[in-house]
Amino acid sequence: MLNDRQSLILCGVMVGGIFVSGILDVLDSYLIKTLLTIIFLMILTNFFMVYSKSKKEKQNKLK
């Protein structure tokens, strides 16, 4: 699981990657698409892991 700072850095890398690859017109490359997709999936996975963990902690506090 990533901490907040790492998540923000990863989001910045993704945005920067989309921006730079769009300007350089290499967004059609399968390598670039694959790297950006992997970064996006890492962000989503981290989001759902943190969400489910906080939900479980809230349920444990109520018991």
Side-chain angles (χ1 to χ4, degrees), residues 13-25 27 36:
V13 167
M14 184 177 160
V15 168
I18 291 172
F19 181 74
V20 169
S21 62
I23 287 181
L24 296 176
D25 202 26
L27 199 53
L36 292 174

Side-chain angles (χ1 to χ4, degrees), residues 3-14:
N3 61 22
D4 291 341
R5 186 173 184 194
Q6 292 171 336
S7 295
L8 286 173
I9 290 171
L10 201 57
C11 288
V13 167
M14 184 177 160

Side-chain angles (χ1 to χ4, degrees), residues 5-60:
R5 186 173 184 194
Q6 292 171 336
S7 295
L8 286 173
I9 290 171
L10 201 57
C11 288
V13 167
M14 184 177 160
V15 168
I18 291 172
F19 181 74
V20 169
S21 62
I23 287 181
L24 296 176
D25 202 26
V26 293
L27 199 53
D28 293 332
S29 171
Y30 288 114
L31 179 65
I32 300 298
K33 286 181 184 177
T34 303
L35 290 174
L36 292 174
T37 303
I38 289 171
I39 292 172
F40 180 70
L41 291 174
M42 287 174 60
I43 293 169
L44 282 181
T45 304
N46 185 51
F47 173 74
F48 287 116
M49 287 176 59
V50 169
Y51 178 74
S52 66
K53 183 179 176 183
S54 66
K55 192 173 182 180
K56 287 179 185 178
E57 287 177 357
K58 285 181 183 179
Q59 288 177 352
N60 288 338

